[in-house]
Amino acid sequence: MILYDYVLSASCYKVRLMAALLGQSLTLHTVNFHPAREHKSADMLALNPKGTLPVLLDGETVLTDSADILRYLTRDAPEWRGDDDPWLALAADLNESLGMARLHDILQYDVDIDAARAAGVKQLRKLEAHMTAQRFDGHLFLTGAVPALADIACFPNVSLAPDGGVSLDTYPSLRLWMRAIRSLPGFIEMPGIHRLHELEFPE
Amino acid sequence: MDWVAVGLCEDVPARTVVPRRVQNTDLAIWCSTAGVFHAWGDRCPHRGMRLSHGFVRGETLSCIYHGWTYDGDGACVSIPAHPDLTPPKSICAAQYACRVQDGTIWVALQPTQAAVPELGARRAIRSLAVQLSAETLATRLKQPFGPVITLGGAHDIALAVQPSTDTDCLLHAFAAPDQDRKAVSLALEHLRDELEAAA
Amino acid sequence: MSRSINDYWYPVGLLSGIDAPHATLLLGADITVGRTHSAYWVTDAAGKALPTIKRFGHLWTCPGTPMDDLFTIPEADTAGRQLVDVGSVRVKCSPLRAVENFLDIAHFPFVHTDILGAEPHTEVARYNVDIREDANEVWATKVKFFQPQAAKSAEGGITTEYMYRVASPTCAVLYKTCPPRPGEWDVITLFVQPLNEEWCEVWPWMALYDDDSTMAEMVSFQQLIFMQDRSILENQIPTKLPLDPGMEVPTQADLTSIAYRRWLKKIGYTYGAQLVAA
C-alpha cells in the first residue's frame, strides 16, 4: 500500500496511526504540500481530482478520503469496527473546526478563526461529556473498553487543538482518553503530539 | 480564598501531570507513581517551559524540554545534559500547599491556617469549565461568592469553584452519593448552558 | 552608533511563493509583499517602497536604513547542493525565543526523540563559543552530540558535529556533519520574520548534499523537526526572551544561548526581549 502523505496533516496522520496500530506497513510517498502545493500538481490531480491528501493506493484501489481509508485498513479487523459512521462524521466536523483553526495559525489559511475555534470548543465539550459518561462505565475509549476506529478518527484533530489556539487544559476525560491512545502498543507520534516519555522508564 | 479545588483525584491518576490555572497563576498538578499529589508553579526554572507538558517517572517530574528532573520537594535532581553534575540546591520549582480531601485536590496559593472546605456527604461527579468569572458565576447562581457553592436540589449538588482567569472558571461538582453520575453530569451540562447564555 | 531594529534585513517571503500582493507584518507594522513580472517589491503601510534583497531563496527587506549588506553563506554556494525551500510556519513566541531554541542541542533527546537525540545519550560536551567582534556574529564550534538519525540521508546513530552561527539577531545558520560527504558541512538555517514581539514567522532554509532524498522528503523532515519545536516555543513563560540573569537558569550546555543573550544586550537588540523580571 502506498500512502501519499504530508507529515503535518492530521488526516494523513490518522492513516499512519491506524496502520501502525494494526501492524500494517505503508510505503510513504511524501508530498510537498507546503510550500510547493504539490497536492495540486498535474500528477496528483490525475490520481485525486479533489487535490487533497491523504491518498491511498493499493493495487487498483485508489482511496482519497481518510474515513474511507480507515474503513479499508480495518476491513479484516472487526475488533476495530462498530457503529462508525457517526464518529467519522464527527471526525470530519473536527477537521473543519479545530483542523482549520490549526491550518490558519500555522500556515495562514483563510479561515474565520473565531468561528472555527468556537465550533471546536462546542465539539470538545460534547466529546468531554461523552468520555466522562464512558468513564462512569469504566471505559477508556469512545465506544467501549478497547480502542476502535472511532478513536483513531477523532484523536488527531483533538490532540492538535492547541496548534490552532484551542486549549485542552480543562478537559480531564479527553486528556485521559488521549493518554490511553498514546499508551497503545504500536502508537506513533506526530509533531505536536509527544510520546509518553514516562513509558520508557522501567519502574 | 484560602483553599481552592483544582481537580478530582480520579482525573489525575498516578504518573500524570495536568495544567491548572488559579487566579491567573499557572500550576502543574501532578501525581507520583506512589500516588502523592503536588501543586507546582507551571514553569521550569531553566527555560520557562511549562512543567505540565512534562512527564512523571517514579517520584519525580521532568520537564519535556530538556528533561530537567525535580523530586517531590521541588528540588532539581538531574540535568541530563550534564549527567555527572549534582544540580545546585538553588534550582527548584515553585511549590504550593496541596491537600487531598473528599477525592479532590486542593491548593493554597498563600500559606494558610484555614481548614480545607467541607463538601458534606457527597461524592465527586466531574469537573467542567465555564466561560464566566467565578464572581459572575456566583451572581448568576444567586449565591454568595466562595470556594464552595451549595446548590442542593434533587441531586444535592455542591460546586467547588476554581477561579481560573478573569473570564473563566473550572467547576468541580459533587452530588448526593445515591444519585446517578450520568444524570448529574447531564444536569451540569444544562446548567452551564443556561449560565453562559444568561446575559 | 548603535543601529535600530529597523536597520536590519528581515526575510518576508520565499521567492518561489511570492505572487499576488500579500499583506503581512514586520516588527509590528503592516507591510505588503508582491511581485510585478520579475520584480519583487515590499511597501510599508504608507505605500513607500522598502529596499529589497533576493538571497537564499527568500526576499529580504529592511524597514529602516540598511547599514550594511545582508550576510552571506559562502558554503551554500558550492556546487552539488540541494537548495531546499522549507516554507514558513507561524509561531506565537518571541522571535528571539525561536532563534535561541534553534541554537540549543540539549533538547534533542526529549523533543526530537529518536531523530536528533535519544536517551540515555543526553550529555552535552563542552564546546567553544565566541562573539566575533569583526563580523558582529556569535559562533559556537566543536559542538558534538549523539544522534540516532542525523538527517534524512543518515542511517543508524552517529556522533554529529555542528557549528552554530548567529548571523543577525533573528537569523541563525547551522553547519552540520554531512554523512554522504565527510569533510563537508550541510547548511541549515532559521530565518525569523518578527511579526511582532510575541509572534513570528519562521522560514527555515537548507543547502544540503543529499542525492538520495526527494525534495519533498527534505522539506518534510525539516518541517517535522520545526513543528516539534513549535509546541515548546508556544509554551514558554514568559513569551519574551529574558535577557537579564536571574529569571532563568543556564548551565554549561547553554553557552551559545548565554552568548546570544549577552550579544543582543550589547548591540541593543531588545525587540522580543524581556529586560526586567516580571
Side-chain angles (χ1 to χ4, degrees):
Chain A
M1 286 185 289
I2 299 169
L3 177 69
Y4 290 78
D5 180 52
Y6 176 54
V7 68
L8 301 185
S9 155
S11 298
C12 292
Y13 172 60
K14 269 175 215 179
V15 176
R16 295 195 302 270
L17 177 58
M18 191 75 248
L21 294 172
L22 290 164
Q24 298 174 353
S25 74
L26 294 172
T27 302
L28 297 184
H29 180 105
T30 303
V31 177
N32 190 337
F33 180 93
H34 172 82
R37 295 177 56 77
E38 236 173 52
H39 55 302
K40 303 288 187 193
S41 68
D43 284 354
M44 284 305 298
L45 287 174
L47 195 60
N48 173 16
K50 291 185 295 180
T52 57
L53 293 176
V55 177
L56 186 83
L57 215 58
D58 189 17
E60 296 298 304
T61 305
V62 182
L63 297 169
T64 61
D65 179 88
S66 63
D68 292 341
I69 299 174
L70 294 185
R71 287 192 189 97
Y72 184 75
L73 294 179
T74 51
R75 65 195 184 284
D76 296 323
E79 68 278 17
W80 287 86
R81 300 297 291 272
D83 183 15
D84 300 320
D85 289 356
W87 295 107
L88 289 168
L90 174 64
D93 290 344
L94 290 166
N95 201 48
E96 285 304 306
S97 57
L98 299 173
M100 290 312 284
R102 179 170 172 265
L103 289 172
H104 170 274
D105 279 16
I106 298 173
L107 299 178
Q108 300 174 65
Y109 270 49
D110 189 11
V111 170
D112 181 343
I113 186 63
D114 293 336
R117 287 188 187 136
V121 167
K122 223 172 189 172
Q123 292 152 359
L124 287 175
R125 283 180 167 192
K126 263 193 196 154
L127 265 176
E128 170 72 14
H130 174 76
M131 266 318 300
T132 302
Q134 288 291 94
R135 288 175 62 209
F136 292 151
D137 291 337
H139 294 159
L140 276 176
F141 297 97
L142 288 177
T143 56
V146 292
L149 184 152
D151 297 288
I152 306 312
C154 295
F155 172 77
N157 274 306
V158 171
S159 296
L160 295 167
D163 275 356
V166 176
S167 166
L168 293 172
D169 289 1
T170 55
Y171 302 95
S173 295
L174 289 183
R175 294 178 71 92
L176 291 173
W177 166 69
M178 291 186 291
R179 187 181 171 83
I181 293 172
R182 290 158 77 206
S183 308
L184 294 173
F187 176 81
I188 54 169
E189 64 218 46
M190 78 164 272
I193 305 176
H194 288 292
R195 74 176 61 184
L196 295 172
H197 287 285
E198 53 270 48
L199 295 186
E200 283 147 49
F201 182 74
E203 289 293 346
Chain B
M1 282 191 186
D2 293 303
W3 292 100
V4 176
V6 295
L8 308 183
C9 295
E10 65 195 277
D11 288 345
V12 191
R15 303 172 88 197
T16 61
V17 54
V18 300
R20 286 288 184 268
R21 194 174 275 178
V22 176
Q23 289 159 336
N24 294 310
T25 297
D26 289 304
L27 302 175
I29 310 294
W30 64 280
C31 183
S32 77
T33 304
V36 181
F37 288 91
H38 302 271
W40 290 0
D42 195 9
R43 188 176 176 279
C44 177
H46 176 223
R47 284 284 172 263
M49 179 63 197
R50 288 184 187 276
L51 287 171
S52 57
H53 287 240
F55 49 94
V56 178
R57 288 176 177 176
E59 299 305 296
T60 64
L61 176 66
S62 300
C63 177
I64 187 81
Y65 198 1
H66 299 94
W68 286 30
T69 299
Y70 300 86
D71 70 11
D73 296 324
C76 182
V77 291
S78 162
I79 296 177
H82 307 298
D84 300 328
L85 176 85
T86 302
K89 295 226 180 311
S90 55
I91 305 177
C92 52
Q95 290 198 87
Y96 297 95
C98 182
R99 297 267 186 285
V100 170
Q101 187 173 300
D102 298 325
T104 305
I105 309 158
W106 300 83
V107 171
L109 293 186
Q110 309 291 337
T112 177
Q113 299 298 317
V116 173
E118 296 287 336
L119 293 164
R122 296 183 177 92
R123 68 164 169 175
I125 303 295
R126 64 175 289 201
S127 302
L128 80 169
V130 182
Q131 290 173 349
L132 294 173
S133 73
E135 290 84 354
T136 307
L137 175 95
T139 306
R140 291 196 184 168
L141 285 169
K142 300 186 174 59
Q143 298 284 335
F145 174 66
V148 176
I149 291 175
T150 306
L151 293 181
H155 302 301
D156 192 20
I157 291 173
L159 303 171
V161 183
Q162 175 191 333
S164 307
T165 66
D166 301 336
T167 53
D168 292 272
C169 63
L170 189 60
L171 301 181
H172 310 285
F174 303 81
D178 60 345
Q179 295 296 306
D180 175 53
R181 294 180 87 186
K182 285 185 191 172
V184 181
S185 175
L186 195 63
L188 290 164
E189 295 277 328
H190 293 316
L191 176 67
R192 169 168 68 185
D193 289 347
E194 280 170 34
L195 291 170
E196 287 182 345
Chain C
M1 186 184 114
S2 85
R3 69 178 82 182
S4 110
I5 55 159
N6 285 318
D7 300 338
Y8 292 90
W9 290 101
Y10 298 99
V12 291
L14 265 181
L15 294 172
S16 58
I18 297 171
D19 196 356
H22 168 67
T24 181
L25 282 172
L26 180 59
L27 301 167
D30 292 320
I31 59 166
T32 306
V33 179
R35 179 168 66 93
T36 307
H37 306 297
S38 60
Y40 294 88
W41 49 263
V42 180
T43 54
D44 67 11
K48 190 185 79 161
L50 300 177
T52 57
I53 286 179
K54 290 181 286 180
R55 194 169 294 171
F56 317 126
H58 289 74
L59 184 68
W60 299 73
T61 194
C62 170
T65 310
M67 289 177 68
D68 42 31
D69 188 23
L70 173 64
F71 61 87
T72 60
I73 309 175
E75 298 83 353
D77 295 332
T78 51
R81 286 177 190 263
Q82 306 277 356
L83 305 181
V84 185
D85 290 348
V86 179
S88 76
V89 164
R90 287 195 165 190
V91 190
K92 291 253 167 43
C93 76
S94 154
L96 308 180
R97 287 261 195 214
V99 171
E100 185 178 84
N101 173 73
F102 183 75
L103 303 175
D104 179 75
I105 50 173
H107 72 283
F108 288 173
F110 301 97
V111 179
H112 310 297
T113 313
D114 290 349
I115 305 171
L116 299 181
E119 291 181 277
H121 310 284
T122 55
E123 182 161 17
V124 177
R126 185 173 263 287
Y127 54 88
N128 297 334
V129 177
D130 59 315
I131 296 175
R132 297 190 181 170
E133 303 284 348
D134 52 339
N136 199 23
E137 295 186 347
V138 179
W139 279 78
T141 55
K142 296 198 165 60
V143 184
K144 291 184 177 138
F145 202 68
F146 176 85
Q147 300 206 339
Q149 185 200 342
K152 190 74 195 61
S153 59
E155 277 180 30
I158 48 172
T159 295
T160 302
E161 185 172 343
Y162 309 83
M163 293 189 291
Y164 285 95
R165 169 190 174 202
V166 182
S168 93
T170 70
C171 297
V173 184
L174 160 60
Y175 303 87
K176 175 174 181 176
T177 316
C178 174
R181 297 268 188 119
E184 301 275 6
W185 298 90
D186 275 334
V187 172
I188 299 170
T189 72
L190 195 81
F191 304 143
V192 182
Q193 172 186 354
L195 299 170
N196 61 37
E197 286 196 89
E198 300 189 355
W199 190 25
C200 54
E201 187 151 346
V202 176
W203 304 89
W205 180 78
M206 306 190 288
L208 308 178
Y209 287 112
D210 185 341
D211 299 326
D212 300 326
S213 305
T214 65
M215 185 59 75
E217 285 167 344
M218 290 184 280
V219 167
S220 164
F221 181 80
Q222 202 54 20
Q223 289 186 5
L224 163 82
I225 296 298
F226 187 73
M227 281 300 290
Q228 290 180 327
D229 288 319
R230 186 180 185 268
S231 61
I232 299 292
L233 291 168
E234 295 204 332
N235 286 290
Q236 283 176 277
I237 304 171
T239 310
K240 291 186 195 174
L241 184 74
L243 290 192
D244 290 321
M247 263 209 94
E248 296 187 351
V249 184
T251 72
Q252 184 190 291
D254 301 314
L255 285 178
T256 318
S257 123
I258 295 168
Y260 175 56
R261 293 184 186 200
R262 190 176 295 154
W263 176 72
L264 288 173
K265 216 169 171 182
K266 176 172 159 271
I267 65 173
Y269 196 100
T270 56
Y271 192 81
Q274 176 147 329
L275 288 170
V276 180

